[in-house]
Amino acid sequence: MTLDPEDSKLITLARAARARNEAAEGAAVRDETGRTYSATNIALESLTLSAVQVAAAMAVSSGARSLEAAALVTAGEGPSAADTAVTGELGAGALHVAGPDGVLRS
C-alpha cells in the first residue's frame, strides 16, 4: 500500500516522537488547515492517554475543527476503540497504523 506523501509525513512524525520520548506509542494528526501535531502516549499514575488522544487533543486545543488524517506508530496491536472513536468524531479520513520500523499495517 502506497501512502500519499502528506500521510507518509505523519508516520515519520509519529515515529520521531515515539523514539525521542522512548514511548510505547507515537501519533501524528493533520488538521483541516494542514497543520500537524505529534505526540506520545501518557502513562502517569493519575492520567493515561493514548498517543492518538494526545495528538487529537493538541489539535483541538489549538483550534482545529476537524482532522484530515491520523497515524499511529506502535509495537502493540493497533488503535484502541477510543483512538478510532476520536479520529472518527473529528472526521479523519484515515487512521494509518505502522510498526516502529515505519512499515504500514493498515
Side-chain angles (χ1 to χ4, degrees):
M1 175 181 206
T2 303
L3 284 181
D4 170 276
E6 290 299 312
D7 290 351
S8 291
K9 178 179 160 184
L10 292 178
I11 297 287
T12 300
L13 290 170
R15 287 183 71 205
R18 181 180 180 274
R20 181 177 53 251
N21 291 345
E22 298 177 359
E25 297 179 339
V29 299
R30 184 176 60 252
D31 72 12
E32 76 279 4
T33 67
R35 291 178 297 186
T36 57
Y37 306 86
S38 60
T40 59
N41 62 297
I42 296 173
L44 302 173
E45 215 172 284
S46 59
L47 179 66
T48 301
L49 296 170
S50 73
V52 171
Q53 290 172 320
V54 176
M58 290 170 62
V60 170
S61 69
S62 295
R65 296 175 190 251
S66 65
L67 298 179
E68 291 181 348
L72 170 66
V73 172
T74 181
E77 292 189 23
S80 67
D83 292 341
T84 304
V86 73
T87 56
E89 182 177 342
L90 291 170
L95 173 54
H96 304 292
V97 180
D101 57 2
V103 174
L104 197 61
R105 293 189 200 160
S106 62

